[in-house]
Amino acid sequence: MSRRTVLRIGAGAGAGLTLGLGSACAGPTGAPGPGTISLGFNRSLVSLDNKLNQFDAAVTVQRAVRQTLTRVGDELKLQLVLADRFELTAPTRWTVRLRAGVRYSDGSPVTVADVATALKMYGQVNGSFITGFFPELPTVEQVDSRTFHLRTGRPLPVLDYLMANILITPAKANRPEELSSGLGSGPYTVTSANSGTGEYSLTRNTKYWGPRPRIDNVRVRFVPEESSRVMAMRAGELDVVDSLTPDSADQLDGLPGVSIQRAAGTRINQLFFNFRKKEGQPLADPRVRQALSLAVDGQALIRDVLTGSAEAARGVVPLTLEGAVRTGSYVYDPGKSRKMLDSLGVRGLKVKVIWETGEFAADTSVMEALLEMLRDVGVAATLQQFEPGGDILQWRQGRRGDWDILGNGFGSPSGQAISTLQGMFGGTAEKEKTRDTYQGFVVPRIADALSNASAEIDTARRLAQLAATQKEIWALWPALWAFVPDVVTARRDRVQDLGLQSVNSYDLATVRLEG
């Protein structure tokens, strides 16, 4: 009997128990109607904005309500959305024109002032996920009612890709906080929103400026237990579930009425070190970080926990991104790990590992295995798991408790290695004052190198600079271990034309229902 068959039998035998448990937590109730699609997320959609939080699947819903000037589409190619022109017309000037007739759901037009205000609002957020990708936010100079310039102090040759992450909202309704409801120019409008439960209802925008969406209503549900998502999918209560573990995908694969879609991922999942450790502390030493990485049997984690649905990272960003290069491999050698720690005088080391439930598939199993691996080299690890909607952001920013290793995923909102590198490793002392750095990573020479590369107009020179900088970052051992997962989504067969992209999202407006 195959492993897949065993999983299916187990899932069927435990159906009553799993559904009973699922009824006690947030989840779907009843099958969606003929004109409604029901989406089940493994993480709570805390808002329909992305200033602080943009986990991959959230993009699908956020951009169904609010749109951007551009978007990163199939094969990570740039597409125009609210703009019909986005052109580099001088080294530090982009000329942009709004598409004629683009309007919000109340019928009011999208204006140049809305773009300018959106950029200002993003710039006023401390710890913003999005602004970390920008070496600088551009300023807006209006030319006419539809045309404007985006100006930067230095050249920013990937600004057209970066602007795919700035959601546009009417200026009068915009604020420097994440917005749970309000007006947008997207194909759907918000009819109900509950950020506490992660539940939202959307309906078709009758004033949408683009092609009519093919589905009338969208239900979004936060279902934290994966077993509950699987059983809800089997029962027809959910139409689409994302970020499945390999075991759950195996349970669903081939079942009548259910299909699995996969794509190569652009998200890197990491066990990232806390770079706010002071000099003299063990984890402030890259040699200690390297020694600890030797204790992690990454191949076993991929084989036995992730069951082949991911690959160990071979660079500091996924190699699927434009400009990414291979910098090295994570090697498992516990004997060498113990010897290196002894030679460095590190004995009786204790580390605290934190993560948020649902940060990546099989996260708890990975962390429990990690605890045993570190114990084998004489390192005592404690695990602290945060529930979605908790205060892990405060911990990550160094505003709450201390920690040593963070389980975290980092998506690529642009498909460009430079913006992901900038977001993770471009931290400066000035940014750290407002906690706008990635886990306190502040290395001036790295930040300078990335800043110079991001301003290089010549593509060949920019890629050469990036390659050298990525190798420098690797030598600092920023992560205990890292891997790049596949994108895995399950859908009921009544859901058609779901164009799953490598960024783990899809365009809701093009999805249709049969039956």
Side-chain angles (χ1 to χ4, degrees):
M1 185 178 295
S2 71
R3 175 176 179 275
R4 178 172 294 179
T5 302
V6 171
L7 287 168
R8 287 180 183 165
I9 292 174
L17 175 61
T18 303
L19 284 174
L21 291 172
S23 65
C25 63
T29 54
T36 300
I37 188 172
S38 184
L39 313 179
F41 285 176
N42 72 324
R43 297 180 65 187
S44 180
L45 181 60
V46 297
S47 81
L48 292 172
D49 201 352
N50 67 342
K51 294 186 182 76
L52 285 170
N53 182 32
Q54 183 177 282
F55 68 90
D56 298 342
V59 174
T60 297
V61 179
Q62 289 170 338
R63 298 189 187 189
V65 177
R66 288 182 171 84
Q67 295 182 302
T68 50
L69 296 173
T70 63
R71 63 173 292 184
V72 179
D74 296 337
E75 299 181 354
L76 303 180
K77 300 299 183 182
L78 192 74
Q79 300 173 350
L80 297 177
V81 184
L82 293 178
D84 64 6
R85 181 190 180 193
F86 206 117
E87 182 182 358
L88 184 65
T89 50
T92 59
R93 185 189 70 200
W94 292 78
T95 300
V96 185
R97 186 176 63 191
L98 292 174
R99 192 180 299 274
V102 289
R103 294 183 175 276
Y104 297 108
S105 58
D106 67 349
S108 62
V110 178
T111 68
V112 174
D114 297 339
V115 178
T117 300
L119 284 164
K120 290 178 182 177
M121 294 302 101
Y122 278 86
Q124 291 177 23
V125 177
N126 287 340
S128 170
F129 169 77
I130 294 299
T131 56
F133 295 103
F134 286 79
E136 60 177 300
L137 287 172
T139 58
V140 174
E141 295 178 355
Q142 185 161 351
V143 177
D144 58 39
S145 63
R146 291 171 50 204
T147 308
F148 58 95
H149 297 313
L150 289 175
R151 288 192 179 273
T152 54
R154 303 180 69 195
L156 187 49
V158 297
L159 181 60
D160 49 350
Y161 281 84
L162 292 175
M163 288 298 293
N165 298 283
I166 302 297
L167 299 176
I168 308 302
T169 296
K172 63 181 180 181
N174 213 338
R175 302 187 306 275
E177 299 98 29
E178 291 192 298
L179 308 172
S180 295
S181 59
L183 292 175
S185 62
Y188 290 92
T189 62
V190 184
T191 55
S192 67
N194 189 326
S195 60
T197 63
E199 297 189 4
Y200 298 81
S201 294
L202 312 180
T203 192
R204 182 173 59 83
N205 177 5
T206 58
K207 295 183 174 65
Y208 184 47
W209 58 270
R212 173 182 170 135
R214 302 158 89 180
I215 297 174
D216 290 333
N217 303 296
V218 180
R219 294 195 319 189
V220 180
R221 297 290 184 265
F222 166 46
V223 188
E225 295 295 332
E226 183 164 62
S227 58
S228 297
R229 294 199 304 278
V230 170
M231 297 314 301
M233 169 69 75
R234 292 168 63 95
E237 295 176 357
L238 289 174
D239 289 308
V240 183
V241 295
D242 72 293
S243 304
L244 288 170
T245 63
D247 282 355
S248 293
D250 278 348
Q251 290 177 33
L252 294 170
D253 194 13
L255 288 176
V258 176
S259 297
I260 302 294
Q261 289 188 223
R262 303 175 188 270
T266 59
R267 179 181 181 87
I268 190 166
N269 291 334
Q270 306 161 307
L271 302 174
F272 204 87
F273 288 109
N274 186 349
F275 273 79
R276 295 189 175 95
K277 299 297 181 180
K278 296 181 179 179
E279 186 176 353
Q281 293 179 309
L283 292 185
D285 188 338
R287 297 171 298 175
V288 174
R289 299 195 291 267
Q290 180 183 6
L292 291 176
S293 75
L294 294 168
V296 180
D297 189 349
Q299 291 305 314
L301 290 174
I302 289 175
R303 181 185 64 244
D304 301 329
V305 179
L306 301 171
T307 59
S309 65
E311 63 177 23
R314 294 171 292 162
V316 293
V317 295
L319 298 183
T320 48
L321 302 181
E322 183 177 349
V325 298
R326 180 169 181 166
T327 54
S329 300
Y330 290 98
V331 177
Y332 175 54
D333 191 338
K336 184 177 179 181
S337 175
R338 287 189 292 269
K339 289 179 181 177
M340 285 185 66
L341 291 173
D342 286 342
S343 68
L344 294 169
V346 178
R347 297 178 180 84
L349 182 62
K350 298 179 180 180
V351 297
K352 183 172 187 175
V353 184
I354 67 172
W355 80 101
E356 182 178 83
T357 302
E359 185 65 39
F360 47 78
D363 48 14
T364 302
S365 298
V366 169
M367 298 308 183
E368 290 173 348
L370 175 67
L371 186 149
E372 297 300 325
M373 292 173 184
L374 291 174
R375 182 179 298 165
D376 287 344
V377 299
V379 176
T382 58
L383 307 179
Q384 182 167 346
Q385 186 172 6
F386 291 78
E387 291 305 311
D391 60 353
I392 192 171
L393 179 61
Q394 296 292 314
W395 285 67
R396 288 173 50 186
Q397 293 178 341
R399 301 179 190 273
R400 192 64 61 85
D402 191 23
W403 55 274
D404 300 293
I405 298 166
L406 170 71
N408 193 50
F410 199 95
S412 172
S414 70
Q416 303 287 311
I418 178 59
S419 55
T420 300
L421 290 165
Q422 191 79 38
M424 287 196 290
F425 305 109
T428 63
E430 191 65 26
K431 288 182 178 180
E432 178 60 12
K433 291 178 182 178
T434 55
R435 294 301 192 260
D436 286 320
T437 66
Y438 189 68
Q439 326 315 335
F441 189 97
V442 178
V443 181
R445 73 176 187 279
I446 298 294
D448 289 344
L450 290 175
S451 177
N452 291 335
S454 69
E456 177 54 66
I457 297 294
D458 184 271
T459 301
R461 284 198 293 267
R462 181 170 68 252
L463 293 179
Q465 293 172 16
L466 283 181
T469 305
Q470 288 171 72
K471 292 175 182 177
E472 280 195 69
I473 294 170
W474 179 271
L476 294 174
W477 291 97
L480 179 69
W481 185 60
F483 64 98
V484 180
D486 295 336
V487 173
V488 183
T489 294
R491 61 172 175 82
R492 298 199 62 78
D493 288 346
R494 81 184 195 114
V495 178
Q496 296 291 311
D497 298 338
L498 190 153
L500 182 64
Q501 299 175 343
S502 58
V503 292
N504 196 18
S505 69
Y506 48 91
D507 184 358
L508 262 176
T510 65
V511 180
R512 62 185 175 87
L513 296 176
E514 289 186 350

